[in-house]
Amino acid sequence: MIDEIYRRLEDKYFLEKGLIDREEALKLFSIDKVRDYLELFKISSLVRDRFKEKIEITSTIHITNICKISPKCLYCGFAAGTSEEGYYKGFRLSDEEIKRCALAIEESGIRRVSCSSAHTERGEVVRAARIVKENTNLEVLVNAGSDLTEEHIKELKKLRVETVCCNLETINEEIFKRVKPGEELEDRIKVCKLVNKYGIELSSGLLIGIGESYEDRVDHLFFLKENFEIGEIPIMGFNPYKGTPMEHFEKCHPLEQGKTIAITRLIFPKIRITSPSPTIGAENIYLPLMAGASNIATVIPKNYPLLVKGVGNPKTANLEEVVKTIEMLNLKPKLDLERFRRYYDRYNRDVQRYW
């Protein structure tokens, strides 16, 4: 099959419509040998390189963890009161704190930020996006859920927010209802449709390793393909949190994330495919890059003024590590290089440069 995919690389039809169909995607999920992984990663990264000259780096600002979903999602370590490894105490960033975070991210040379919020029904991400847009030149992704109303989306359009992310996480309704008992899948689908309606780039991702089958993953990817204009797909591996109902659930293996990213790239040759660094582990980000990812998310510079938790084990200051890995793979990071070099010299005085 890989040989056939290579042939399709020379056909404009397949480059536009996707290099594999549903049956072929399911067959690729069955690979379990080293040589097959290497062949899959080779072609998926080649496809990525056809359309993406540089690897994007996205930072994050967590606006609030005060969540109105009840009962809470079984895996969540972000919302107040769910896990001591996450943000256990409730918080809501002030306007000034959001501004400080945004300015620090821009100072580091990072060019894109995700403004993320718990389910609040208050439009917190709209407030954050406005502050970031008024004080920086950062590209903004708003990461929210079914609390986004049509009025909120209209406001985000006026603010020229580049991307709105509403993750479906799984379209297996039985699994969705089991792990997200306080939400309805249809509510998130409606938000995705509204984002498309107002012409904002849509991001919507998969949470894998929560009990779904390979067929579920394939169905999810083709559901996105057939129902939306999709610009970005995050592939997020499940990461258990102490104190949550799923704390003893097995962590998603990095190879599963890599395989899913590679197959996603063959279905969607041109879009942004994202791997959040905490869910795969900062030490493992070479895998999504080898598999065809074009964006590494939740990347935190050393000058970031707050502690980042709730999307993986707490880890700050991973920007240098991410950039180094990108360059070791002979790829180019999408950064404001002049700012990054000033930042690097300021915050890494005792470390030898690696570029």
Side-chain angles (χ1 to χ4, degrees), residues 39-85:
E39 281 297 315
L40 175 61
F41 289 176
K42 180 180 178 181
I43 193 166
S44 60
S45 60
L46 179 63
V47 174
R48 186 263 324 280
D49 294 346
R50 283 277 185 103
F51 299 104
K52 305 292 182 183
E53 293 183 0
K54 296 182 178 180
I55 302 299
E56 292 184 87
I57 295 173
T58 302
S59 193
T60 193
I61 303 174
H62 292 155
I63 312 306
T64 180
N65 71 334
I66 301 169
C67 184
K68 289 192 174 183
I69 292 292
S70 181
K72 296 286 189 288
C73 302
L74 271 59
Y75 55 81
C76 182
F78 181 89
T82 57
S83 172
E84 292 184 1
E85 286 184 340

Coordinates of all heavy atoms in Angstrom, one line a residue, residues 39-85:
E39 N 8.3 3.2 7.5 CA 7.8 3.5 6.2 C 6.6 4.5 6.3 O 6.5 5.4 5.5 CB 7.4 2.2 5.5 CG 8.5 1.4 4.9 CD 9.3 2.2 3.8 OE1 8.6 2.8 3.0 OE2 10.5 2.2 3.8
L40 N 5.8 4.2 7.3 CA 4.6 5.1 7.4 C 5.1 6.5 7.8 O 4.6 7.5 7.2 CB 3.7 4.6 8.5 CG 2.5 5.5 8.9 CD1 1.6 5.7 7.7 CD2 1.7 4.8 10.0
F41 N 6.0 6.6 8.7 CA 6.5 8.0 9.2 C 7.2 8.6 8.0 O 7.2 9.9 7.9 CB 7.4 7.8 10.4 CG 6.6 7.5 11.7 CD1 7.4 7.2 12.8 CD2 5.3 7.3 11.7 CE1 6.7 6.9 14.0 CE2 4.6 7.0 12.9 CZ 5.3 6.8 14.0
K42 N 7.9 7.9 7.2 CA 8.7 8.5 6.1 C 7.8 9.2 5.1 O 8.0 10.3 4.8 CB 9.5 7.4 5.4 CG 10.3 7.9 4.3 CD 11.1 6.7 3.6 CE 11.9 7.2 2.4 NZ 12.7 6.1 1.8
I43 N 6.7 8.5 4.8 CA 5.8 9.1 3.7 C 5.0 10.2 4.3 O 4.7 11.2 3.7 CB 5.0 8.0 3.0 CG1 4.3 8.6 1.8 CG2 3.9 7.4 4.0 CD1 3.7 7.6 0.8
S44 N 4.5 10.0 5.6 CA 3.7 11.1 6.2 C 4.5 12.4 6.4 O 4.0 13.5 6.2 CB 3.1 10.6 7.5 OG 4.1 10.3 8.4
S45 N 5.8 12.3 6.8 CA 6.6 13.5 7.0 C 6.9 14.1 5.6 O 7.0 15.3 5.5 CB 7.9 13.2 7.7 OG 8.6 12.2 7.1
L46 N 7.1 13.2 4.6 CA 7.3 13.7 3.2 C 6.1 14.5 2.7 O 6.2 15.6 2.1 CB 7.6 12.6 2.3 CG 7.8 12.9 0.8 CD1 9.1 13.8 0.6 CD2 7.9 11.6 0.0
V47 N 4.9 14.1 3.0 CA 3.7 14.8 2.7 C 3.6 16.1 3.4 O 3.4 17.2 2.8 CB 2.4 13.9 3.0 CG1 1.2 14.8 2.7 CG2 2.4 12.7 2.1
R48 N 3.9 16.1 4.7 CA 4.0 17.4 5.5 C 4.9 18.4 4.8 O 4.6 19.5 4.7 CB 4.4 17.0 6.9 CG 4.3 18.2 7.9 CD 5.7 18.9 8.2 NE 6.8 18.0 8.2 CZ 7.2 17.2 9.2 NH1 6.5 17.2 10.3 NH2 8.3 16.5 9.1
D49 N 6.1 17.9 4.5 CA 7.1 18.8 3.9 C 6.7 19.4 2.6 O 7.2 20.4 2.2 CB 8.4 18.1 3.8 CG 9.0 17.7 5.2 OD1 8.5 18.2 6.2 OD2 9.9 16.8 5.2
R50 N 5.8 18.7 1.9 CA 5.3 19.3 0.6 C 4.6 20.6 0.8 O 4.6 21.4 -0.1 CB 4.4 18.3 -0.1 CG 5.0 17.1 -0.8 CD 5.5 17.5 -2.2 NE 6.0 16.3 -2.9 CZ 5.3 15.6 -3.8 NH1 4.1 16.0 -4.1 NH2 5.9 14.6 -4.4
F51 N 3.9 20.7 2.0 CA 3.0 21.8 2.2 C 3.4 22.7 3.3 O 2.8 23.8 3.4 CB 1.6 21.3 2.4 CG 1.0 20.4 1.3 CD1 1.0 19.1 1.3 CD2 0.6 21.1 0.1 CE1 0.5 18.3 0.3 CE2 0.1 20.3 -1.0 CZ 0.1 19.0 -0.9
K52 N 4.3 22.3 4.2 CA 4.6 23.1 5.4 C 6.1 23.3 5.4 O 6.9 22.4 5.6 CB 4.2 22.4 6.7 CG 2.7 22.0 6.7 CD 1.8 23.3 6.8 CE 0.4 22.8 7.0 NZ -0.5 24.0 7.0
E53 N 6.5 24.6 5.2 CA 8.0 24.9 5.1 C 8.6 24.9 6.5 O 9.8 24.7 6.7 CB 8.2 26.2 4.4 CG 7.8 26.3 3.0 CD 8.1 27.6 2.3 OE1 8.6 28.5 3.0 OE2 7.9 27.7 1.1
K54 N 7.8 25.3 7.5 CA 8.3 25.4 8.9 C 7.3 24.7 9.9 O 6.1 24.5 9.6 CB 8.5 26.8 9.2 CG 9.5 27.5 8.4 CD 9.7 29.0 8.9 CE 10.8 29.7 8.0 NZ 11.0 31.1 8.5
I55 N 7.9 24.4 11.0 CA 7.1 23.8 12.1 C 6.6 24.9 13.0 O 7.4 25.6 13.6 CB 7.9 22.8 12.9 CG1 8.5 21.7 12.0 CG2 7.1 22.2 14.1 CD1 7.4 20.8 11.3
E56 N 5.3 25.0 13.1 CA 4.7 26.0 14.0 C 4.9 25.6 15.5 O 5.0 24.5 15.8 CB 3.2 26.2 13.7 CG 3.0 26.9 12.4 CD 1.5 27.1 12.2 OE1 1.0 28.2 12.6 OE2 0.8 26.3 11.6
I57 N 5.0 26.7 16.3 CA 5.1 26.5 17.8 C 4.0 27.3 18.4 O 3.9 28.5 18.1 CB 6.5 26.9 18.3 CG1 7.6 26.0 17.7 CG2 6.5 26.9 19.8 CD1 9.0 26.4 18.0
T58 N 3.2 26.7 19.2 CA 2.0 27.4 19.8 C 2.2 27.4 21.3 O 2.3 26.3 21.9 CB 0.7 26.8 19.4 OG1 0.6 26.8 18.0 CG2 -0.5 27.5 20.0
S59 N 2.1 28.5 21.9 CA 2.2 28.6 23.4 C 0.7 28.6 23.9 O -0.2 28.4 23.2 CB 2.9 29.8 23.9 OG 3.2 29.7 25.3
T60 N 0.6 28.9 25.2 CA -0.8 28.8 25.8 C -1.0 29.8 26.9 O 0.0 30.1 27.6 CB -1.1 27.4 26.3 OG1 -2.5 27.2 26.6 CG2 -0.3 27.0 27.5
I61 N -2.2 30.2 27.1 CA -2.6 31.0 28.3 C -3.8 30.3 28.8 O -4.9 30.3 28.1 CB -2.8 32.5 28.0 CG1 -1.6 33.2 27.3 CG2 -3.2 33.2 29.3 CD1 -1.9 34.6 26.9
H62 N -3.8 29.8 30.0 CA -5.0 29.2 30.6 C -5.7 30.3 31.4 O -5.2 30.8 32.4 CB -4.6 28.1 31.6 CG -4.0 26.9 30.8 ND1 -3.1 26.0 31.4 CD2 -4.2 26.5 29.5 CE1 -2.8 25.1 30.5 NE2 -3.4 25.4 29.4
I63 N -6.9 30.6 30.9 CA -7.6 31.8 31.4 C -8.3 31.5 32.8 O -8.2 32.3 33.7 CB -8.7 32.3 30.4 CG1 -8.1 32.3 29.0 CG2 -9.3 33.6 30.8 CD1 -6.8 33.2 28.9
T64 N -9.0 30.4 32.9 CA -9.7 30.0 34.1 C -9.9 28.5 34.1 O -10.1 27.9 33.1 CB -11.0 30.8 34.3 OG1 -11.7 30.4 35.5 CG2 -12.0 30.5 33.1
N65 N -9.9 28.0 35.3 CA -10.3 26.5 35.5 C -11.6 26.4 36.2 O -11.9 25.3 36.7 CB -9.2 25.8 36.3 CG -9.1 26.2 37.7 OD1 -9.5 27.3 38.1 ND2 -8.6 25.3 38.6
I66 N -12.3 27.4 36.4 CA -13.6 27.4 37.1 C -14.7 26.9 36.0 O -15.1 27.6 35.2 CB -14.0 28.7 37.7 CG1 -13.0 29.2 38.7 CG2 -15.4 28.6 38.3 CD1 -13.1 30.6 39.1
C67 N -15.1 25.6 36.2 CA -15.8 24.9 35.1 C -17.2 24.6 35.6 O -17.4 24.1 36.7 CB -15.1 23.6 34.8 SG -15.9 22.7 33.4
K68 N -18.2 24.9 34.8 CA -19.6 24.7 35.1 C -20.2 23.3 34.7 O -21.3 23.0 34.9 CB -20.5 25.8 34.5 CG -20.3 27.2 35.2 CD -21.3 28.2 34.8 CE -21.2 29.5 35.6 NZ -22.2 30.4 35.2
I69 N -19.3 22.5 34.0 CA -19.8 21.2 33.6 C -20.0 20.4 34.9 O -19.1 20.3 35.7 CB -18.7 20.5 32.7 CG1 -18.7 21.3 31.4 CG2 -19.1 19.1 32.5 CD1 -19.9 21.1 30.5
S70 N -21.1 19.7 34.9 CA -21.4 18.8 36.1 C -22.3 17.7 35.6 O -23.3 17.9 34.9 CB -22.1 19.6 37.2 OG -22.4 18.7 38.3
P71 N -21.9 16.4 35.8 CA -20.6 16.0 36.5 C -19.4 16.3 35.6 O -19.6 16.4 34.4 CB -20.8 14.5 36.7 CG -21.8 14.1 35.7 CD -22.7 15.3 35.5
K72 N -18.3 16.4 36.2 CA -17.0 16.7 35.5 C -16.6 15.5 34.5 O -17.0 14.4 34.8 CB -15.9 17.0 36.4 CG -16.1 18.2 37.3 CD -15.9 19.5 36.5 CE -15.9 20.7 37.4 NZ -17.2 21.0 38.0
C73 N -15.9 15.9 33.5 CA -15.3 14.9 32.7 C -14.4 14.0 33.5 O -13.6 14.4 34.3 CB -14.5 15.5 31.5 SG -15.4 16.7 30.5
L74 N -14.4 12.7 33.3 CA -13.8 11.7 34.1 C -12.3 11.8 34.1 O -11.6 11.4 35.0 CB -14.2 10.3 33.7 CG -15.4 9.7 34.4 CD1 -16.7 10.6 34.2 CD2 -15.7 8.3 34.0
Y75 N -11.7 12.3 33.0 CA -10.2 12.4 32.9 C -9.6 13.7 33.2 O -8.4 13.9 33.3 CB -9.8 12.1 31.4 CG -10.5 13.0 30.4 CD1 -10.0 14.2 30.2 CD2 -11.7 12.6 29.7 CE1 -10.7 15.1 29.3 CE2 -12.3 13.4 28.8 CZ -11.8 14.7 28.6 OH -12.4 15.5 27.7
C76 N -10.5 14.7 33.5 CA -10.0 16.1 33.5 C -9.1 16.4 34.7 O -9.5 16.1 35.9 CB -11.2 17.1 33.5 SG -10.7 18.8 33.5
G77 N -7.9 16.9 34.5 CA -7.1 17.4 35.5 C -6.9 18.9 35.5 O -6.1 19.5 36.2
F78 N -7.8 19.6 34.7 CA -7.7 21.0 34.5 C -8.6 21.8 35.4 O -8.3 22.8 36.0 CB -8.0 21.3 33.0 CG -7.9 22.8 32.7 CD1 -6.7 23.4 32.3 CD2 -9.1 23.6 32.8 CE1 -6.7 24.7 31.9 CE2 -9.0 24.9 32.4 CZ -7.8 25.5 32.0
A79 N -9.9 21.3 35.5 CA -10.9 22.0 36.3 C -10.6 22.0 37.7 O -10.0 21.1 38.3 CB -12.3 21.4 36.0
A80 N -11.1 23.1 38.4 CA -10.9 23.2 39.9 C -11.4 22.0 40.6 O -12.5 21.5 40.3 CB -11.6 24.5 40.3
G81 N -10.7 21.5 41.6 CA -11.1 20.4 42.4 C -11.0 19.0 41.8 O -11.5 18.1 42.5
T82 N -10.4 18.9 40.7 CA -10.3 17.5 40.0 C -9.1 16.8 40.4 O -9.1 15.6 40.5 CB -10.5 17.6 38.5 OG1 -9.5 18.5 38.0 CG2 -11.9 18.2 38.1
S83 N -7.9 17.5 40.4 CA -6.7 16.8 40.6 C -5.6 17.7 41.2 O -5.5 18.9 40.8 CB -6.1 16.2 39.3 OG -4.8 15.7 39.5
E84 N -4.9 17.2 42.2 CA -3.8 18.0 42.8 C -2.6 18.2 41.9 O -1.8 19.0 42.1 CB -3.4 17.5 44.1 CG -4.5 17.6 45.2 CD -4.1 17.1 46.6 OE1 -2.9 16.7 46.7 OE2 -4.9 17.1 47.5
E85 N -2.6 17.3 40.8 CA -1.5 17.5 39.8 C -1.9 18.6 38.8 O -1.0 19.1 38.1 CB -1.3 16.2 39.0 CG -0.6 15.1 39.8 CD -0.4 13.9 39.0 OE1 -1.0 13.7 37.9 OE2 0.5 13.1 39.3

